[in-house]
Each structure stands twice: as C-alpha cells, then as structure tokens.
Amino acid sequence: MSRIGKKPIIIPKEVTVKVLGNNVKVKGPKGELEYSFSSNMKVELNDNEVIVTRPDDLRVNKALHGLTRSLIQNMINGVTVAYSKTLDIVGVGYKAELKGKNILLNIGYSHPIYFMPPDGINLVAPSPTQIVISGIDKQLVGMIAAKIRSIRKPEPYKGKGIKYSNEIIQRKAGKTAGK
C-alpha cells in the first residue's frame, strides 16, 4: 500500500472539507479551493480526518492514491497557511518594482517587462532585487514562480538572471581559465 496514501489527513478546527462525488471542497480562513479527483479513488470523511482509499493494486491506482492524498493535504495547508516562493534578481541594473498588482521587471532587455499575475496570487517586492509570490494554491504559486524565472534564467558564467532564493547556480569557468 502507498505509504503516503494510507496516512489519514487531519483537518484543523478552522477548516471545513466537503466531498461531493468526485470533488473535494476545502474552505478555511485564507480562502477556498476545489479539486476533482479520479473516479477510481474513494475519499471519506471520518470525524476530523480525511481518508483516501483505492480499489485495487494496479500501478495507476497506486500512483493516484498517493497523489490524491497529497493534493488534498496541500489544499488544507494552503487555506490555513498560504504558500510562498521567493525569487532573487542578480545582475547590475536588474530590478523589479510593483505597479499596482503587476510587477515591472528591468532585467537587461531593451524594454521593461510587465507581468500580470492571475487571481489568487499576490506579488510583493520587498527590495528591488527580490520578488515574493504567495497564494493558497501550491501548484499555481509554483507555476507563476517558474514563469517569472523563465523570463531571464540564471546563466552559468556570472550567475545573472532570476533565480529561486534557495537555488544554487553551478558556475562554469570562463575562456581564460584554460590558460
């Protein structure tokens, strides 16, 4: 049995979970999320915990078992404590500034780049070289962070670009290192 899938999900007091057919709705102090899971999985509510079970030991069902449980756990965590990712901007003259809800990036191109986040995502620029992305949906926060990073990925020679704050850039030696 799936090690992750067989663990019950404990529901905090401030969170309500509803299972309607193949949909799970989670509502908490930070907001509300909804997820449609596979019809093969069975999600049950018992007192203050959610239990995910699978019908058999087929490989597909084993994979969906742990996935479904993890996604529901992430939803519960998201509506209680929002997820966030921090991006660092490295490079001379590279900066980011907030314009309303949008962010203006000057990162070495001939033109500034405006990034408009979708609903449910908050962008904050605590300093000109840092961006904090936060929201209740873990997948959406990660996707937006990856999109912003892809505008100017860090390069291996000087490390210039947009990187995650905990990312380590593998540096390469330049042309002069061989002599």
Side-chain angles (χ1 to χ4, degrees):
M1 192 160 188
S2 170
R3 290 182 184 174
I4 294 173
K6 69 181 177 182
K7 292 180 184 176
I9 305 166
I10 295 161
I11 303 169
K13 292 178 183 174
E14 64 271 6
V15 176
T16 58
V17 177
K18 292 181 184 173
V19 179
L20 304 165
N22 285 357
N23 289 340
V24 175
K25 275 190 172 183
V26 178
K27 190 173 185 179
K30 301 272 184 190
E32 185 175 339
L33 291 172
E34 189 173 343
Y35 169 65
S36 296
F37 57 89
S38 173
S39 58
N40 293 347
M41 296 299 111
K42 185 177 174 188
V43 178
E44 299 173 336
L45 288 171
N46 291 341
D47 297 329
N48 65 338
E49 60 185 25
V50 178
I51 298 171
V52 180
T53 55
R54 65 174 188 251
D56 52 33
D57 285 343
L58 288 176
R59 187 179 180 124
V60 173
N61 290 335
K62 283 183 175 182
L64 284 173
H65 189 205
L67 172 74
T68 304
R69 191 246 180 232
S70 292
L71 291 175
I72 295 170
Q73 177 71 54
N74 289 343
M75 290 167 55
I76 291 172
N77 289 347
V79 297
T80 53
V81 182
Y83 289 102
S84 69
K85 289 206 176 243
T86 306
L87 297 173
D88 292 336
I89 301 171
V90 180
V92 176
Y94 288 15
K95 63 181 179 175
E97 63 181 277
L98 216 54
K99 297 280 187 182
K101 289 184 100 178
N102 305 331
I103 199 152
L104 174 69
L105 298 169
N106 290 313
I107 48 175
Y109 293 119
S110 61
H111 58 283
I113 296 172
Y114 285 96
F115 186 83
M116 293 174 259
D119 293 335
I121 295 293
N122 297 323
L123 295 177
V124 179
S127 72
T129 60
Q130 202 172 43
I131 304 169
V132 178
I133 301 131
S134 61
I136 60 172
D137 189 353
K138 186 176 184 176
Q139 286 178 306
L140 190 58
V141 168
M143 186 181 76
I144 297 303
K147 273 188 179 180
I148 293 173
R149 182 184 179 272
S150 72
I151 294 170
R152 175 72 93 177
K153 288 184 182 174
E155 52 96 12
Y157 296 102
K158 292 185 180 179
K160 291 167 54 172
I162 301 173
K163 68 179 192 81
Y164 296 110
S165 62
N166 58 354
E167 183 179 10
I168 297 170
I169 307 299
Q170 291 290 332
R171 294 292 182 86
K172 289 184 178 178
K175 288 192 235 178
T176 58
K179 293 183 181 183

